[in-house]
């Protein structure tokens, strides 16, 4: 095997390994959304936490925060909204940022 072929093989393997956690996280996100829609906020939270562990995306912090709020955990929800807002970038959907900002403000007033 030539050095070039070996390098391509190593790169392909590395790409496959990098894609695997994102796909697993996407599957857990789907499970979480299904649980959330069914009103199973504890199940949704567990799925969203696992998705974040697999692929740490700031948007997953907002989904976790929403579940904590639904479960009556305002301190945890506020902490996660604040983490999300601190990590949000220009590419983060503006509606999600604004919704999270409003939710955080409401929680601050309640705590």
């Amino acid at each position: 095997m030539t050095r070039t072929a070996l390098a391509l093989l190593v790169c392909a393997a590395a790409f496959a390994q990098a894609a695997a956690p994102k796909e697993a996280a996407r599957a857990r996100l789907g499970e979480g959304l299904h649980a959330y829609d069914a009103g199973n906020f504890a199940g949704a939270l567990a799925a969203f936490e696992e998705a974040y562990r697999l692929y740490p995306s700031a948007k997953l912090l907002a989904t976790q925060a929403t579940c904590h709020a639904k479960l009556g955990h305002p301190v945890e929800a506020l902490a996660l909204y604040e983490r999300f807002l601190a990590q949000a970038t220009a590419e983060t959907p503006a509606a999600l940022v604004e919704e999270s900002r409003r939710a955080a403000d409401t929680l601050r007033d309640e705590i």
Side-chain angles (χ1 to χ4, degrees):
M1 180 178 292
T2 67
R3 287 173 54 157
T4 303
L6 181 59
L8 289 172
L9 184 60
V10 169
C11 287
F15 179 77
Q17 285 179 329
K22 188 172 184 177
E23 290 305 313
R26 187 172 287 139
R28 295 299 288 155
L29 175 62
E31 292 168 13
L33 292 171
H34 181 73
Y36 187 92
D37 289 343
N40 178 3
F41 304 118
L45 177 60
F48 295 150
E49 288 173 337
E50 177 66 10
Y52 184 82
R53 187 190 68 73
L54 292 165
Y55 189 80
S57 167
K59 292 181 230 174
L60 291 168
L61 296 173
T63 60
Q64 292 174 47
T66 302
C67 289
H68 274 292
K70 292 283 191 182
L71 291 166
H73 309 149
V75 173
E76 293 87 346
L78 178 57
L80 285 162
Y81 278 127
E82 288 175 341
R83 280 181 59 200
F84 164 72
L85 291 168
Q87 293 179 25
T89 66
E91 289 80 35
T92 305
L96 181 58
V97 171
E98 184 54 36
E99 182 181 322
S100 297
R101 196 171 279 130
R102 279 195 308 271
D105 290 343
T106 299
L107 288 167
R108 275 188 209 93
D109 291 342
E110 293 176 4
I111 296 176

